[in-house]
Amino acid sequence: MDRTPGDSPSPTFAEEVREAVTVRAALLVIGALVLQLAFITSYIGAFHAPQPKDIALGVAAPPQLSGELVRKLGALPGSPLDASAVRDEAEARRRIHDRELEAALVVDPRGTTDTLLVAGGSGASLAQATEAVVTRAEAAQRRSLKLTDIAPAGAGDSRGLSSFYLVVGWCVGGYLCAAILAISAGARPANPRRAGFRLAALALYAVAAGLLGAVIAGPVLGALPGSVLGLWGLGALVVFAVGATTLALQGLAGIIGIGLAIAIVVVLGNPSAGGAYPYPLLPPFWRAIGPALPPGAGTWSARSIAYFRGNALTGPLLVLSAWAAVGAAVACAALRRGPAER
Protein backbone atom coordinates (compact mmCIF):
# COMPACT_ATOMS: atom_id res chain seq x y z
CA MET A 1 0.00 0.00 0.00
CA ASP A 2 1.30 3.42 -0.93
CA ARG A 3 2.05 5.70 1.97
CA THR A 4 -0.07 8.86 1.92
CA PRO A 5 1.36 12.24 2.75
CA GLY A 6 1.45 12.85 6.49
CA ASP A 7 1.80 9.19 7.43
CA SER A 8 4.61 8.56 9.90
CA PRO A 9 7.21 6.12 8.62
CA SER A 10 6.99 2.56 9.91
CA PRO A 11 9.58 1.82 12.60
CA THR A 12 12.54 -0.26 11.54
CA PHE A 13 13.16 -3.69 13.03
CA ALA A 14 15.93 -2.31 15.26
CA GLU A 15 13.67 0.46 16.52
CA GLU A 16 10.93 -2.04 17.35
CA VAL A 17 13.41 -4.18 19.28
CA ARG A 18 14.62 -1.16 21.25
CA GLU A 19 11.03 -0.22 22.10
CA ALA A 20 10.08 -3.77 23.11
CA VAL A 21 13.23 -4.43 25.17
CA THR A 22 14.67 -1.34 26.76
CA VAL A 23 18.29 -1.07 27.80
CA ARG A 24 17.21 -1.22 31.45
CA ALA A 25 15.20 -4.38 30.80
CA ALA A 26 18.10 -5.95 28.93
CA LEU A 27 20.45 -5.23 31.82
CA LEU A 28 17.97 -6.72 34.29
CA VAL A 29 17.62 -9.84 32.14
CA ILE A 30 21.40 -10.19 32.02
CA GLY A 31 21.44 -9.82 35.80
CA ALA A 32 18.81 -12.56 36.07
CA LEU A 33 20.97 -14.83 33.91
CA VAL A 34 24.00 -14.18 36.11
CA LEU A 35 21.90 -14.92 39.21
CA GLN A 36 20.62 -18.14 37.66
CA LEU A 37 24.11 -19.34 36.77
CA ALA A 38 25.35 -18.41 40.24
CA PHE A 39 22.50 -20.46 41.73
CA ILE A 40 23.45 -23.51 39.66
CA THR A 41 27.14 -23.11 40.47
CA SER A 42 26.58 -22.62 44.19
CA TYR A 43 24.21 -25.53 44.75
CA ILE A 44 26.08 -28.03 42.60
CA GLY A 45 29.41 -26.82 43.96
CA ALA A 46 28.26 -27.35 47.53
CA PHE A 47 26.45 -30.66 47.10
CA HIS A 48 27.96 -32.60 44.21
CA ALA A 49 30.74 -34.37 46.12
CA PRO A 50 30.34 -34.24 49.92
CA GLN A 51 33.45 -35.33 51.77
CA PRO A 52 33.84 -35.44 55.58
CA LYS A 53 36.44 -33.01 56.84
CA ASP A 54 37.43 -32.35 60.47
CA ILE A 55 34.36 -33.91 62.08
CA ALA A 56 34.72 -33.10 65.78
CA LEU A 57 35.05 -36.55 67.39
CA GLY A 58 35.62 -37.17 71.07
CA VAL A 59 37.52 -40.30 72.09
CA ALA A 60 36.78 -41.85 75.47
CA ALA A 61 39.41 -44.52 76.10
CA PRO A 62 41.74 -45.65 78.88
CA PRO A 63 44.69 -43.25 79.30
CA GLN A 64 47.18 -45.78 77.97
CA LEU A 65 45.23 -46.05 74.70
CA SER A 66 43.74 -42.60 74.31
CA GLY A 67 46.73 -40.63 73.01
CA GLU A 68 47.70 -43.12 70.32
CA LEU A 69 44.10 -43.63 69.21
CA VAL A 70 43.49 -39.88 68.91
CA ARG A 71 46.66 -39.56 66.85
CA LYS A 72 45.69 -42.38 64.48
CA LEU A 73 42.15 -41.12 63.97
CA GLY A 74 43.39 -37.58 63.36
CA ALA A 75 45.90 -38.84 60.79
CA LEU A 76 43.41 -40.66 58.57
CA PRO A 77 43.79 -39.81 54.86
CA GLY A 78 41.90 -36.65 53.95
CA SER A 79 41.56 -35.61 57.61
CA PRO A 80 37.91 -36.63 57.96
CA LEU A 81 38.10 -36.50 61.76
CA ASP A 82 39.23 -33.87 64.23
CA ALA A 83 39.75 -36.24 67.15
CA SER A 84 40.30 -35.18 70.75
CA ALA A 85 40.39 -37.05 74.04
CA VAL A 86 37.51 -36.87 76.51
CA ARG A 87 37.53 -38.18 80.06
CA ASP A 88 34.69 -40.69 79.80
CA GLU A 89 31.35 -41.44 78.16
CA ALA A 90 29.51 -38.99 80.41
CA GLU A 91 31.72 -36.11 79.28
CA ALA A 92 31.35 -37.22 75.66
CA ARG A 93 27.57 -37.17 75.94
CA ARG A 94 27.59 -33.75 77.59
CA ARG A 95 29.83 -32.22 74.94
CA ILE A 96 27.68 -33.63 72.13
CA HIS A 97 24.56 -32.13 73.72
CA ASP A 98 26.47 -28.84 74.14
CA ARG A 99 27.30 -29.04 70.41
CA GLU A 100 31.02 -28.97 71.09
CA LEU A 101 31.40 -32.41 69.46
CA GLU A 102 29.63 -34.00 66.52
CA ALA A 103 30.19 -37.56 67.76
CA ALA A 104 32.25 -39.61 70.22
CA LEU A 105 33.93 -43.00 70.19
CA VAL A 106 33.68 -44.87 73.50
CA VAL A 107 36.29 -47.63 73.62
CA ASP A 108 35.62 -50.86 75.54
CA PRO A 109 39.04 -52.04 76.76
CA ARG A 110 37.62 -55.42 77.84
CA GLY A 111 36.06 -56.33 74.50
CA THR A 112 36.29 -55.80 70.77
CA THR A 113 33.10 -53.78 70.23
CA ASP A 114 33.24 -50.02 70.76
CA THR A 115 30.36 -47.54 70.81
CA LEU A 116 29.96 -44.54 68.51
CA LEU A 117 27.75 -41.81 69.95
CA VAL A 118 26.12 -39.60 67.31
CA ALA A 119 23.44 -36.90 67.18
CA GLY A 120 20.93 -37.53 64.41
CA GLY A 121 19.31 -34.18 65.14
CA SER A 122 22.36 -32.52 63.58
CA GLY A 123 21.55 -34.19 60.27
CA ALA A 124 21.41 -37.83 59.21
CA SER A 125 24.08 -37.34 56.55
CA LEU A 126 26.65 -36.27 59.16
CA ALA A 127 25.88 -39.21 61.45
CA GLN A 128 26.14 -41.62 58.52
CA ALA A 129 29.41 -40.13 57.28
CA THR A 130 30.93 -40.31 60.77
CA GLU A 131 29.81 -43.90 61.17
CA ALA A 132 31.32 -44.87 57.82
CA VAL A 133 34.71 -43.30 58.62
CA VAL A 134 34.97 -44.71 62.14
CA THR A 135 33.76 -48.15 61.05
CA ARG A 136 36.59 -48.38 58.53
CA ALA A 137 39.12 -47.24 61.13
CA GLU A 138 37.82 -49.78 63.64
CA ALA A 139 37.86 -52.59 61.07
CA ALA A 140 41.54 -51.87 60.41
CA GLN A 141 42.12 -52.60 64.12
CA ARG A 142 39.90 -55.73 63.94
CA ARG A 143 37.27 -54.15 66.10
CA SER A 144 33.54 -53.66 65.52
CA LEU A 145 31.27 -50.73 66.20
CA LYS A 146 27.90 -50.22 67.85
CA LEU A 147 25.97 -47.05 67.00
CA THR A 148 24.03 -45.07 69.62
CA ASP A 149 22.07 -41.94 68.66
CA ILE A 150 21.84 -39.78 71.79
CA ALA A 151 20.00 -36.86 70.11
CA PRO A 152 17.92 -38.52 67.39
CA ALA A 153 15.80 -36.59 64.91
CA GLY A 154 12.08 -36.67 65.66
CA ALA A 155 9.83 -39.29 64.14
CA GLY A 156 8.33 -36.67 61.83
CA ASP A 157 11.66 -35.07 60.91
CA SER A 158 12.97 -37.07 57.98
CA ARG A 159 16.79 -37.02 57.97
CA GLY A 160 16.79 -34.02 60.31
CA LEU A 161 15.92 -31.58 57.52
CA SER A 162 12.79 -29.95 58.96
CA SER A 163 14.81 -27.28 60.77
CA PHE A 164 16.46 -26.30 57.51
CA TYR A 165 13.21 -26.19 55.54
CA LEU A 166 11.53 -24.14 58.27
CA VAL A 167 14.32 -21.56 58.17
CA VAL A 168 14.29 -21.47 54.36
CA GLY A 169 10.57 -20.71 54.51
CA TRP A 170 11.16 -17.91 57.00
CA CYS A 171 13.91 -16.45 54.79
CA VAL A 172 11.68 -16.54 51.71
CA GLY A 173 8.95 -14.74 53.64
CA GLY A 174 11.40 -12.09 54.82
CA TYR A 175 12.66 -11.02 51.42
CA LEU A 176 9.26 -11.35 49.74
CA CYS A 177 7.65 -9.09 52.35
CA ALA A 178 10.40 -6.51 51.93
CA ALA A 179 10.15 -6.70 48.14
CA ILE A 180 6.38 -6.14 48.24
CA LEU A 181 6.78 -3.14 50.54
CA ALA A 182 9.28 -1.62 48.13
CA ILE A 183 7.38 -2.41 44.93
CA SER A 184 4.18 -0.92 46.34
CA ALA A 185 5.72 2.43 47.32
CA GLY A 186 9.16 2.74 45.75
CA ALA A 187 12.46 1.09 46.53
CA ARG A 188 13.68 3.99 48.68
CA PRO A 189 11.48 5.57 51.36
CA ALA A 190 10.90 9.33 51.19
CA ASN A 191 11.98 10.05 54.78
CA PRO A 192 13.06 8.30 57.99
CA ARG A 193 9.47 8.15 59.22
CA ARG A 194 8.37 6.23 56.12
CA ALA A 195 11.34 3.91 56.57
CA GLY A 196 10.25 3.37 60.16
CA PHE A 197 6.73 2.47 59.02
CA ARG A 198 8.16 -0.11 56.62
CA LEU A 199 10.29 -1.64 59.34
CA ALA A 200 7.32 -1.69 61.72
CA ALA A 201 5.20 -3.47 59.11
CA LEU A 202 8.04 -5.92 58.55
CA ALA A 203 8.34 -6.53 62.30
CA LEU A 204 4.62 -7.32 62.59
CA TYR A 205 4.90 -9.68 59.63
CA ALA A 206 7.96 -11.32 61.21
CA VAL A 207 6.17 -11.95 64.50
CA ALA A 208 3.22 -13.56 62.69
CA ALA A 209 5.42 -15.57 60.32
CA GLY A 210 7.62 -16.80 63.17
CA LEU A 211 4.64 -17.98 65.20
CA LEU A 212 2.80 -19.66 62.33
CA GLY A 213 5.94 -21.40 61.09
CA ALA A 214 6.74 -22.72 64.57
CA VAL A 215 3.17 -23.97 65.08
CA ILE A 216 3.09 -25.70 61.69
CA ALA A 217 6.48 -27.38 62.19
CA GLY A 218 5.70 -28.35 65.78
CA PRO A 219 2.14 -29.07 66.93
CA VAL A 220 0.49 -29.26 63.48
CA LEU A 221 2.88 -31.54 61.58
CA GLY A 222 4.89 -32.94 64.48
CA ALA A 223 8.09 -32.41 62.52
CA LEU A 224 10.08 -30.59 65.20
CA PRO A 225 10.14 -31.13 68.95
CA GLY A 226 11.42 -28.45 71.28
CA SER A 227 9.98 -25.17 72.46
CA VAL A 228 7.37 -23.57 70.22
CA LEU A 229 8.07 -20.30 72.02
CA GLY A 230 11.78 -20.62 71.28
CA LEU A 231 11.16 -21.39 67.61
CA TRP A 232 8.70 -18.49 67.43
CA GLY A 233 11.32 -16.04 68.67
CA LEU A 234 13.92 -17.47 66.31
CA GLY A 235 11.53 -17.29 63.36
CA ALA A 236 10.64 -13.67 64.05
CA LEU A 237 14.34 -12.78 64.18
CA VAL A 238 15.18 -14.68 60.97
CA VAL A 239 12.30 -13.09 59.03
CA PHE A 240 13.10 -9.60 60.27
CA ALA A 241 16.85 -9.99 59.64
CA VAL A 242 16.33 -11.12 56.04
CA GLY A 243 13.59 -8.55 55.42
CA ALA A 244 15.59 -5.66 56.87
CA THR A 245 18.61 -6.68 54.81
CA THR A 246 16.44 -6.73 51.68
CA LEU A 247 15.03 -3.28 52.47
CA ALA A 248 18.57 -2.00 52.99
CA LEU A 249 19.80 -3.40 49.68
CA GLN A 250 16.79 -1.96 47.87
CA GLY A 251 17.49 1.40 49.46
CA LEU A 252 21.07 1.27 48.21
CA ALA A 253 20.53 -0.27 44.77
CA GLY A 254 16.85 0.11 43.91
CA ILE A 255 15.05 -2.88 42.46
CA ILE A 256 18.40 -4.55 41.88
CA GLY A 257 18.58 -4.87 45.65
CA ILE A 258 16.01 -7.68 45.48
CA GLY A 259 18.41 -9.64 43.29
CA LEU A 260 21.26 -8.92 45.68
CA ALA A 261 19.17 -10.19 48.60
CA ILE A 262 18.39 -13.38 46.69
CA ALA A 263 22.09 -13.79 45.91
CA ILE A 264 23.00 -13.54 49.60
CA VAL A 265 20.16 -15.56 51.09
CA VAL A 266 19.33 -18.11 48.39
CA VAL A 267 22.38 -18.47 46.17
CA LEU A 268 25.01 -18.34 48.92
CA GLY A 269 23.04 -18.85 52.11
CA ASN A 270 20.91 -21.93 51.46
CA PRO A 271 23.57 -24.36 50.19
CA SER A 272 25.96 -23.26 52.94
CA ALA A 273 23.37 -23.47 55.74
CA GLY A 274 24.34 -26.96 56.88
CA GLY A 275 20.90 -28.33 56.04
CA ALA A 276 21.21 -31.18 53.56
CA TYR A 277 24.90 -31.52 54.40
CA PRO A 278 26.14 -30.17 57.74
CA TYR A 279 29.28 -28.05 57.79
CA PRO A 280 31.87 -30.88 58.08
CA LEU A 281 30.59 -32.31 54.77
CA LEU A 282 30.67 -29.05 52.79
CA PRO A 283 33.57 -27.74 50.67
CA PRO A 284 35.74 -25.11 52.39
CA PHE A 285 34.15 -22.02 50.82
CA TRP A 286 30.58 -22.92 51.79
CA ARG A 287 31.68 -24.18 55.22
CA ALA A 288 33.38 -20.83 55.87
CA ILE A 289 30.51 -18.54 54.87
CA GLY A 290 27.59 -20.61 56.16
CA PRO A 291 27.65 -19.64 59.85
CA ALA A 292 27.81 -15.92 58.96
CA LEU A 293 24.67 -15.91 56.77
CA PRO A 294 21.05 -15.92 57.98
CA PRO A 295 20.07 -19.40 56.69
CA GLY A 296 23.09 -21.01 58.36
CA ALA A 297 22.66 -19.18 61.66
CA GLY A 298 18.95 -19.93 61.60
CA THR A 299 19.34 -23.65 60.81
CA TRP A 300 21.93 -24.15 63.55
CA SER A 301 19.67 -22.33 66.04
CA ALA A 302 16.54 -24.27 65.07
CA ARG A 303 18.35 -27.58 65.55
CA SER A 304 19.73 -26.42 68.89
CA ILE A 305 16.23 -25.52 70.08
CA ALA A 306 14.69 -28.74 68.77
CA TYR A 307 17.31 -31.29 69.81
CA PHE A 308 20.03 -29.82 71.99
CA ARG A 309 18.14 -28.10 74.83
CA GLY A 310 18.87 -24.67 73.36
CA ASN A 311 22.65 -25.01 73.71
CA ALA A 312 25.20 -23.15 71.55
CA LEU A 313 22.80 -20.38 70.53
CA THR A 314 24.75 -17.25 71.42
CA GLY A 315 26.89 -17.00 68.29
CA PRO A 316 24.15 -17.68 65.72
CA LEU A 317 21.70 -15.32 67.44
CA LEU A 318 24.33 -12.58 67.43
CA VAL A 319 24.81 -13.15 63.69
CA LEU A 320 21.07 -12.81 63.03
CA SER A 321 20.84 -9.76 65.29
CA ALA A 322 23.70 -8.11 63.41
CA TRP A 323 21.96 -8.63 60.05
CA ALA A 324 18.75 -7.23 61.53
CA ALA A 325 20.37 -4.20 63.15
CA VAL A 326 22.61 -3.24 60.24
CA GLY A 327 19.81 -3.83 57.74
CA ALA A 328 17.40 -1.65 59.70
CA ALA A 329 19.97 1.14 60.09
CA VAL A 330 20.84 1.18 56.39
CA ALA A 331 17.16 0.99 55.41
CA CYS A 332 16.51 4.13 57.50
CA ALA A 333 19.50 5.95 56.04
CA ALA A 334 19.02 5.11 52.34
CA LEU A 335 16.30 7.65 51.52
CA ARG A 336 14.83 8.78 48.21
CA ARG A 337 16.39 11.87 46.66
CA GLY A 338 13.93 12.41 43.85
CA PRO A 339 10.68 11.03 42.37
CA ALA A 340 9.41 7.71 43.65
CA GLU A 341 11.33 4.75 42.30
CA ARG A 342 9.78 1.52 41.16
Side-chain angles (χ1 to χ4, degrees):
M1 181 183 297
D2 294 335
R3 185 180 299 161
T4 60
D7 285 348
S8 59
S10 300
T12 66
F13 177 76
E15 289 172 337
E16 286 189 296
V17 170
R18 283 196 296 270
E19 290 179 4
V21 183
T22 65
V23 173
R24 184 170 184 263
L27 292 175
L28 289 174
V29 168
I30 293 171
L33 176 62
V34 171
L35 197 62
Q36 172 188 315
L37 296 178
F39 182 99
I40 294 169
T41 302
S42 186
Y43 276 72
I44 295 179
F47 297 153
H48 77 290
Q51 294 292 332
K53 180 73 172 179
D54 293 333
I55 298 172
L57 177 76
V59 178
Q64 63 271 24
L65 301 176
S66 179
E68 180 64 14
L69 184 55
V70 166
R71 186 191 65 78
K72 287 182 177 180
L73 291 172
L76 291 174
S79 300
L81 302 175
D82 179 12
S84 60
V86 295
R87 185 171 56 253
D88 52 25
E89 181 176 347
E91 181 183 351
R93 287 174 174 268
R94 177 187 63 78
R95 293 186 63 185
I96 291 173
H97 281 297
D98 288 346
R99 307 204 74 179
E100 297 173 3
L101 296 174
E102 305 289 357
L105 177 64
V106 181
V107 175
D108 180 4
R110 295 170 294 182
T112 60
T113 300
D114 300 327
T115 300
L116 179 65
L117 306 177
V118 298
S122 289
S125 57
L126 179 57
Q128 291 168 355
T130 306
E131 181 184 8
V133 172
V134 177
T135 297
R136 288 195 297 269
E138 289 277 278
Q141 301 298 317
R142 297 178 181 172
R143 300 181 68 84
S144 58
L145 196 65
K146 178 178 69 174
L147 187 71
T148 300
D149 193 340
I150 65 171
D157 185 10
S158 177
R159 298 186 63 79
L161 291 175
S162 295
S163 299
F164 171 60
Y165 293 138
L166 175 60
V167 171
V168 168
W170 281 330
C171 289
V172 169
Y175 65 70
L176 284 180
C177 178
I180 291 168
L181 289 172
I183 291 171
S184 64
R188 297 181 179 93
N191 53 57
R193 188 178 179 185
R194 295 283 179 86
F197 287 153
R198 288 188 183 185
L199 290 170
L202 174 63
L204 290 174
Y205 175 87
V207 169
L211 174 60
L212 294 174
V215 169
I216 290 170
V220 175
L221 297 179
L224 285 180
S227 167
V228 172
L229 186 62
L231 289 173
W232 179 11
L234 172 65
L237 181 56
V238 169
V239 174
F240 186 81
V242 172
T245 299
T246 306
L247 287 176
L249 292 171
Q250 290 173 139
L252 294 173
I255 195 172
I256 296 173
I258 298 175
L260 295 176
I262 293 174
I264 293 171
V265 176
V266 178
V267 174
L268 294 176
N270 286 354
S272 67
Y277 293 118
Y279 296 137
L281 303 183
L282 292 176
F285 172 74
W286 288 269
R287 189 189 318 158
I289 66 173
L293 298 176
T299 299
W300 177 278
S301 299
R303 282 176 171 161
S304 289
I305 292 169
Y307 298 116
F308 297 95
R309 304 184 293 235
N311 291 322
L313 282 175
T314 302
L317 292 183
L318 287 175
V319 168
L320 291 170
S321 298
W323 281 97
V326 173
V330 174
C332 287
L335 304 178
R336 188 167 69 233
R337 296 290 182 264
E341 297 175 44
R342 299 287 178 180

